Amino acid sequence: GHTVLEARTGAQALNLVRKGEALDVVITDHAMPQMTGAELAEALHVERPGLPVVMATGYAEMPPGVAAGTIRLAKPFRQQELADVLRAAMCPAPS
């Protein structure tokens, strides 16, 4: 039930944000051409604070330099795990 916008690079993803696309969450991989997922997450947190960012990574820990608040999605993942992470990102539990 989600609409997906695809960006092949971090720069393309940032352009979508800068064009004002209505985004509820961004899912990125850590390993991407031209820009890491950590760099994209940091730029997104600056450009649009509060926009949830989910980073798919095979690392046991989040890579160094990942912006606070970035949600880790461990690879490989199942469809249900992706759905659970999306739900948590878009509807965070009250503090």
Side-chain angles (χ1 to χ4, degrees):
H2 300 282
T3 300
V4 176
L5 301 177
E6 182 179 342
R8 295 192 182 277
T9 67
Q12 286 179 356
L14 284 174
N15 284 336
L16 290 174
V17 169
R18 290 174 179 151
K19 287 181 2 186
E21 288 289 344
L23 303 174
D24 295 318
V25 63
V26 171
I27 303 171
T28 183
D29 197 304
H30 178 63
M32 299 186 305
Q34 303 171 0
M35 176 185 294
T36 68
E39 292 167 332
L40 175 59
E42 180 63 32
L44 289 170
H45 285 297
V46 170
E47 295 270 341
R48 198 177 294 178
L51 177 65
V53 178
V54 174
M55 185 180 328
T57 180
Y59 291 108
E61 302 289 325
M62 283 289 242
V66 176
T70 302
I71 301 166
R72 181 178 176 271
L73 177 60
K75 289 175 18 180
F77 55 87
R78 293 189 170 102
Q79 192 172 8
Q80 186 60 52
E81 292 165 322
L82 174 60
D84 291 345
V85 166
L86 286 173
R87 190 175 309 104
M90 293 189 295
C91 304
S95 322

